[in-house]
Amino acid sequence: MKVMKFGGTSVGKPERMHQVSQLITRGEESKIVVLSALSGTTNSLVEISHALAQGDRTAAKQKIDKLEAHYQGFVLDLLKNDNTRSKGNAVVAEHFEFLNIILRISFSEALNKDILAQGELLSTKLFSAYLEEQGIDHMFLPALEFMSIDTNEEPQLGSIRIKLSQLLQQHTDKKLFITQGYICRNARGEVDNLKRGGSDYTASLVAAAIHATVCEIWTDIDGMHNNDPRIVDKTNAIEQLSFDEAAELAYFGAKILHPTCIWPAQQENVPVKLLNTMQPDAAGTVISKEAGSTGVKAVAAKDGIIAIKIKSSRMLLAYGFLRKVFEVFEKYKTSIDMITTSEVAVSVTIDSDLSLKEIVKELEPFGTVDVDRDQTIVSIVGNEIAQTDDVLQKLFTAVKEIPVTMVSYGGSPHNISLLVPSVSKTKTLQLLNKGLFGL
Ligand code: ADP
Ligand code: ASP
Ligand code: MG
């Protein structure tokens, strides 16, 4: 059995849904198909939720009506036969009735998650109606019945596996299953999600849970590129990546993959393929145990980074100092991305300012604390790059005009990271494209 995940642009237009229906009916193997919301929908739902959180019901209502009109038009284009079209219309009516009801309820975090879930619920139900119209036999697997996160918001592969296999065992006669990406239930049983871009994570978790032969991530580009194609003009698709390389790229900002979606597939050794819905026969990128080659493969950038420097001539040499510093971050459930130390200072980076005030307050007794916002981590990723000749020389020659504020080297054999002010990100990525890849 294999898993095929289609992202927002792959299902964002009726003709794309048609393409997807062709791709999922190729070959004999059974499939679980994971769908995202139509492109733009989750952003609209975030805006609706935001308006409600601000108490602006008029703005929320306008946005709901606009989105509903979009879906009504979508159904009209997608579904041609009376029976399935009225099913499609009923799906749209049901979900927009829900959104209109929540206009009258007081806003809460749980309600926010319910709002955000509407996109994947809509896309999968409409796609299912389309498959029915095309006479394609399939079964619906509601993600809310098997996908769950624990109190730390971590998916639990063990329980996902048990619930999913129970569901699959009820339908051994079926070969095609459709489910929602992104959405799940939390430890309180409420509707929740796997964070933005989370459908990739769903796909990898499902693939790991069922020991799939492959986890295919179908998107709007022909694989993982060597640099961010939204920022740099000349980029190329990479043929092969190891799980470790792909995990580093995803975590350090390559938007094509959700930041933590690699570990489930890696844990169960399920290869992941990145493929292009618009060019289905392009080779794409294969992610597996094998790295294929050594040396630099790609560069990625992660924005919204905050650097915190703690200077303390007295305490740094004392053993136990770093532990006390880390305990502060642990207490506020804030993970550290980069870290550098010297005799008198330790600098760390974090990617969330949720508890920044409290963290700084608790660090102040240790020494002088400086905070730099608007930083970007630029990561250079590749198999054994630290041991590859000339990488450091090429790297630092390329970025000699950039005011690099931190460097992390040697922590992983696959990654060298630089911290740069976010205003220098575009320039840094362009210079590295030339200096490291000659592009
Ligand atoms: P989907 O909706 O299918 O999940 P995403 O928008 O999340 O698609 O991811 C695909 C996009 O990721 C591409 O269109 C591309 O602009 C962007 N992207 C950023 N960095 C990279 C990279 N290194 N390689 C490929 N795509 C990248
Ligand atoms: N629809 C969700 C989002 O836009 C999940 C996804 O597309 O992967 O973030
Ligand atoms: Mg995505």
Side-chain angles (χ1 to χ4, degrees), residues 254-376:
K255 192 200 168 217
I256 186 170
L257 286 174
H258 174 280
T260 55
C261 75
I262 291 295
W263 74 260
Q266 180 169 21
Q267 188 173 306
E268 301 300 323
N269 197 19
V270 178
V272 177
K273 282 190 184 170
L274 307 181
L275 296 158
N276 188 346
T277 311
M278 274 59 84
Q279 282 175 40
D281 297 318
T285 301
V286 179
I287 301 166
S288 68
K289 269 204 304 212
E290 298 343 306
S293 59
T294 54
V296 178
K297 293 218 182 128
V299 171
K302 183 174 173 183
D303 292 321
I305 302 295
I306 302 160
I308 304 174
K309 183 184 270 185
I310 308 128
K311 274 186 262 173
S312 166
S313 49
R314 265 181 313 118
M315 296 183 74
L316 201 68
L317 284 176
Y319 54 83
F321 176 73
L322 283 179
R323 179 177 49 79
K324 286 187 207 140
V325 169
F326 289 147
E327 272 170 1
V328 174
F329 290 89
E330 191 186 343
K331 179 171 169 193
Y332 292 99
K333 293 190 173 170
T334 302
S335 64
I336 292 171
D337 285 332
M338 280 175 82
I339 167 156
T340 59
T341 59
S342 78
E343 290 272 304
V344 291
V346 50
S347 296
V348 300
T349 70
I350 58 175
D351 64 4
S352 155
D353 66 0
L354 263 182
S355 307
L356 182 62
K357 255 185 28 209
E358 292 82 352
I359 288 173
V360 170
K361 200 160 170 239
E362 293 211 20
L363 290 175
E364 269 163 354
F366 301 149
T368 317
V369 181
D370 291 325
V371 173
D372 269 327
R373 286 173 173 274
D374 301 323
Q375 304 289 306
T376 293

Side-chain angles (χ1 to χ4, degrees), residues 37-50 63 67 116 119 182 196-197 255:
L38 312 195
S39 51
T41 296
T42 310
N43 287 346
S44 302
L45 294 169
V46 168
E47 287 175 18
I48 290 165
S49 213
H50 187 71
K63 288 176 198 296
L67 195 61
L116 297 181
Y182 180 58
R196 294 306 306 271
K255 192 200 168 217

